[in-house]
Amino acid sequence: MQYLHNIGAYFLMIAEMFRKPTKWSVMRRLILKDIDDLIIGSLGIVAFISFFVGGVVTIQTALNINSPLIPKYLIGFATRQSVILEFAPTFISIIMAGKVGSFITSSIGTMRVTEQIDALEVMGINSLNYLVFPKFIALMLYPFVISIAMFLGIFGGMIAAVYGGFGSLEDFVTGVQIDFIPFHMAYAFIKTFVFAFVLATIPSYHGYYMQGGALEVGKASTTSFVWTSVVIILLNYILTQLLLSA
């Protein structure tokens, strides 16, 4: 019953988030701050992880191609498919659930503990719109982060292939270009938009409705990371089944 209560409260929170909007002059400032915190602040860790994981994917693919009958360009092909279809949209989103999700939960949870949310309500401000909606809008730029992850993942794979002696630049580029299906990019960005909505709302829910003190803020951050990751993995399976199996 507790799970059903939480699911219902979550969807009620989403509906309330769009009601009684904050005036634009204030909302614009909140959105720009959240873009800086959630998007710009995440570019460094995303770039670092994407580059080296792309290299690891390339190295592992190359080491598992032992037959001389298998063309070397398949290393680039496998790297492209792995990075675009799964690594960039899904793996990066789970990492962001830890970084961005914990930040959102702890910042809103701290406002709940220090009674700042109660003060907003007393002033007649829709606190859910004031706190959650800017994060939702900021994370609509999340596909920009994923596009960088895609580029750096493939670029890191290219560097690993060429300088690791696993294949030539021409073979890798040929593999990246061969049998490219444009819908795979659409599939990846559809997933990205869905995951962005999850990253904005589930951590906000756990921060907004938490109770207790500073210790409970930490527990809420951990809980939000777990449930955000679980929902991302489940939605990844459902979207893959719906979009690619047809």
Side-chain angles (χ1 to χ4, degrees), residues 145-189:
V145 177
I146 296 303
S147 63
I148 291 176
M150 290 177 180
F151 171 77
L152 288 176
I154 295 173
F155 180 71
M158 182 185 72
I159 296 297
V162 174
Y163 290 97
F166 298 108
S168 66
L169 177 63
E170 291 77 15
D171 286 338
F172 190 88
V173 172
T174 300
V176 171
Q177 294 175 337
I178 197 167
D179 289 337
F180 176 69
I181 301 174
F183 181 72
H184 285 172
M185 292 295 293
Y187 157 78
F189 283 114

Side-chain angles (χ1 to χ4, degrees), residues 198 205 231:
V198 170
Y205 170 80
V231 171

Side-chain angles (χ1 to χ4, degrees), residues 82-97 142 146 150 187-188 191-192 195 199 229 232-237 240:
S82 300
V83 169
I84 290 178
L85 292 178
E86 280 307 312
F87 164 70
T90 306
F91 186 60
I92 291 295
S93 294
I94 293 174
I95 293 171
M96 293 285 275
Y142 185 52
I146 296 303
M150 290 177 180
Y187 157 78
K191 288 203 304 184
T192 300
F195 295 162
L199 286 169
S229 301
I232 285 173
I233 291 170
L234 286 175
L235 288 174
N236 183 49
Y237 175 82
T240 301

Side-chain angles (χ1 to χ4, degrees), residues 70 103 112 132-133 157 179 227:
I70 300 176
F103 172 80
R112 172 64 72 186
V132 182
F133 186 75
D179 289 337
W227 280 109

Side-chain angles (χ1 to χ4, degrees), residues 53-146:
V53 170
V56 169
V57 169
T58 297
I59 292 170
Q60 290 182 347
T61 303
L63 293 176
N64 282 282
I65 297 179
N66 298 319
S67 173
L69 299 177
I70 300 176
K72 289 292 185 181
Y73 69 74
L74 285 181
I75 296 173
F77 175 80
T79 302
R80 184 199 74 200
Q81 293 296 91
S82 300
V83 169
I84 290 178
L85 292 178
E86 280 307 312
F87 164 70
T90 306
F91 186 60
I92 291 295
S93 294
I94 293 174
I95 293 171
M96 293 285 275
K99 183 187 183 301
V100 171
S102 296
F103 172 80
I104 291 174
T105 303
S106 59
S107 61
I108 296 179
T110 301
M111 292 184 70
R112 172 64 72 186
V113 169
T114 56
E115 300 181 349
Q116 295 179 56
I117 294 178
D118 297 329
L120 290 173
E121 294 288 348
V122 168
M123 290 188 290
I125 297 172
N126 181 356
S127 56
L128 282 170
N129 180 266
Y130 185 88
L131 296 173
V132 182
F133 186 75
K135 294 170 176 55
F136 165 71
I137 296 299
L139 281 168
M140 287 300 100
L141 295 176
Y142 185 52
F144 170 70
V145 177
I146 296 303

